Amino acid sequence: MADGELDIAANRSARKYDVGDLVRRVLWGVGAVLFRWTPRLLYGARNALLRLFGAEVGRNVRIHPSATIYFPWNLSIGDWSSVGEEALIYNLGPIEIGEQVTISQRAHLCAGTHDANDPAMPLQKPPITVGDQAWVCADAFVGPGVTVGAGAVVGARAVAVTDVEPWMSVGGNPARPLKERNLDPDASP
């Protein structure tokens, strides 16, 4: 291999998960099928299944059966939060979703990446945190290591690759601040 070339063989031969994770992944392969096959309104059954596989799931959580959760044992989701249709929770690293959070349809939370400056491109698993009362809108992307502050909004199809300040609405690619979020119905727009 010449200098400056990727070492794909080294990447593929690197140990990315311990034995416990590998066993849980195999078992979750079956659990994920059951999760997907539950009728839409059986939120409690899906929550119980996620808890069985190590997720921390609060009260009154609603997760759509078409949502994909890679590793339940790396998921924490607070009371009254929801995950919409076809949302992708790629939680190779921990993902913490606060209380009263909405993760809309087809949103993608990506807690996994590679070190692009290392020829072997080793796997990295930076955590993601979504604060209480935040909203990750339809088709939005939240990247590895990002914190979405409490009450923040990541707009539809926005790409958040840096932290989002609390109570700030962001949009675009890359996501940029648009305006402060104000839940006071008497406040002027």
Side-chain angles (χ1 to χ4, degrees), residues 34-85:
L34 295 174
F35 180 92
R36 195 165 286 276
W37 283 355
T38 58
R40 181 181 174 119
L41 296 177
L42 292 184
Y43 301 111
R46 281 189 296 283
N47 294 347
L49 186 60
L50 289 170
R51 287 183 190 109
L52 181 67
F53 280 91
E56 296 177 23
V57 180
R59 293 175 292 116
N60 300 304
V61 170
R62 293 190 167 187
I63 301 176
H64 197 278
S66 67
T68 299
I69 298 169
Y70 274 77
F71 295 167
W73 51 94
N74 281 342
L75 176 65
S76 171
I77 184 168
D79 298 345
W80 295 98
S81 290
S82 63
V83 177
E85 294 181 54

Side-chain angles (χ1 to χ4, degrees), residues 30-187:
V30 174
V33 171
L34 295 174
F35 180 92
R36 195 165 286 276
W37 283 355
T38 58
R40 181 181 174 119
L41 296 177
L42 292 184
Y43 301 111
R46 281 189 296 283
N47 294 347
L49 186 60
L50 289 170
R51 287 183 190 109
L52 181 67
F53 280 91
E56 296 177 23
V57 180
R59 293 175 292 116
N60 300 304
V61 170
R62 293 190 167 187
I63 301 176
H64 197 278
S66 67
T68 299
I69 298 169
Y70 274 77
F71 295 167
W73 51 94
N74 281 342
L75 176 65
S76 171
I77 184 168
D79 298 345
W80 295 98
S81 290
S82 63
V83 177
E85 294 181 54
E86 299 177 14
L88 179 56
I89 308 298
Y90 191 63
N91 54 342
L92 302 186
I95 291 183
E96 181 179 342
I97 298 170
E99 295 184 5
Q100 300 178 22
V101 171
T102 299
I103 307 296
S104 290
Q105 64 274 18
R106 291 177 302 284
H108 182 172
L109 278 58
C110 183
T113 189
H114 296 271
D115 181 351
N117 293 317
D118 183 323
M121 292 185 57
L123 182 63
Q124 298 177 332
K125 306 169 189 176
I128 290 175
T129 301
V130 181
D132 295 346
Q133 300 185 62
W135 178 17
V136 179
C137 298
D139 293 313
F141 176 86
V142 176
V146 170
T147 295
V148 176
V153 176
V154 179
R157 297 209 168 168
V159 177
V161 292
T162 59
D163 292 350
V164 178
E165 293 296 318
W167 299 98
M168 181 59 65
S169 294
V170 300
N173 180 5
R176 291 183 174 86
L178 300 174
K179 64 180 180 177
E180 287 189 37
R181 182 181 188 196
N182 186 347
L183 297 180
D184 182 358
D186 297 325

Side-chain angles (χ1 to χ4, degrees), residues 17-37:
Y17 304 100
D18 63 29
V19 173
D21 275 339
L22 294 174
V23 169
R24 286 187 292 220
R25 287 180 71 183
V26 169
L27 294 173
W28 177 240
V30 174
V33 171
L34 295 174
F35 180 92
R36 195 165 286 276
W37 283 355

